[in-house]
Amino acid sequence: RLNYRSKKALTGQVRIVAFPGADCCACCGTHVRRAGEVGIIKVLSCQKFREGVRLEILCGSRAYRYLSQVYDQLAAAKQRMTELEDQLFSLRAQALTDRGDLLLLEPPTRPDGARKLADAAAKASGGLAAVFAGAESSYVYALVQADGADISPLVKRLNAALSGRGGGRNGFAQGSVQADRTAIYDFFRKEGIECPTC
């Protein structure tokens, strides 16, 4: 339950609202008739202050403008990250020119990142590029066969041996496995596919 008291001030009336267990101090901010008039609220910071907490917030149109700027910056950063990622994959692929079938074990990445690298590597190597990205016992994979030949038998063996899920067609497959780096490496070595970076 809220308790409040009002005091006359030189410029008008000051209303002090006390929340049980919270700091109570006079506010010189704009007052509204109902909470809906404030609109969206964005908390910028929260700091301990004396016995309470001091918040820095934006409300209404200021909050919308701030969040729009943050969104635009984030979109620009994602676009730049994608461009840099594509450049990196292109350079990685150049080093694999005419290497034939190969396995690449990578750190965690987005599923789309594994696909992009597999596609670039397959085009450069002229064979099958199997990209596994992850850590410990959880990896996502993307397999691309340069000539588009059917790889579904390999994918079935892969999923059975490595507790995997996924599939595809026309020389492309993607999915995930619950296996560690060594198990993935051993499976492909038995298939006659080496890892040039392992």
Side-chain angles (χ1 to χ4, degrees):
R1 196 172 77 177
L2 299 180
N3 299 315
Y4 71 89
R5 60 185 183 275
S6 297
K7 292 184 179 179
K8 290 286 185 179
L10 294 176
T11 57
Q13 191 167 1
V14 175
R15 179 181 175 209
I16 300 176
V17 179
F19 289 83
D23 184 31
C24 181
C25 61
C27 174
C28 59
T30 303
H31 292 85
V32 294
R33 290 168 298 194
R34 63 185 73 84
E37 293 180 29
V38 176
I40 188 172
I41 295 175
K42 169 61 181 169
V43 178
L44 298 178
S45 66
C46 178
Q47 302 173 347
K48 286 187 177 181
F49 181 73
R50 295 182 184 163
E51 299 298 319
V53 174
R54 177 175 284 174
L55 297 175
E56 182 183 4
I57 63 173
L58 294 174
C59 303
S61 61
R62 289 179 181 155
Y64 276 114
R65 283 196 301 273
Y66 173 83
L67 292 172
S68 293
Q69 290 174 351
V70 170
Y71 177 83
D72 291 343
Q73 291 170 355
L74 180 61
K78 284 183 176 180
Q79 177 63 32
R80 182 60 179 151
M81 183 183 72
T82 299
E83 292 169 0
L84 291 172
E85 187 180 65
D86 290 345
Q87 291 175 17
L88 174 63
F89 291 163
S90 178
L91 291 172
R92 292 280 310 278
Q94 287 176 20
L96 302 170
T97 301
D98 298 326
R99 296 290 296 269
D101 297 343
L102 50 87
L103 165 66
L104 298 176
L105 294 169
E106 301 292 314
T109 184
R110 298 172 295 113
D112 190 49
R115 179 194 59 77
K116 285 182 177 181
L117 179 56
D119 188 51
K123 287 177 182 174
S125 70
L128 172 74
V131 174
F132 283 72
E136 297 181 2
S137 297
S138 182
Y139 284 78
V140 297
Y141 69 77
L143 277 64
V144 176
Q145 177 68 47
D147 62 6
D150 183 24
I151 57 173
S152 58
L154 172 63
V155 174
K156 287 180 181 177
R157 293 193 300 274
L158 181 159
N159 286 335
L162 302 175
S163 301
R165 302 175 59 179
R169 59 181 181 175
N170 299 330
F172 170 72
Q174 65 181 2
S176 62
V177 297
Q178 298 301 311
D180 63 21
R181 184 184 182 94
T182 302
I184 296 168
Y185 177 80
D186 289 343
F187 170 82
F188 279 94
R189 187 166 48 82
K190 290 175 184 175
E191 293 285 336
I193 300 173
E194 294 297 331
C195 177
T197 58
C198 293

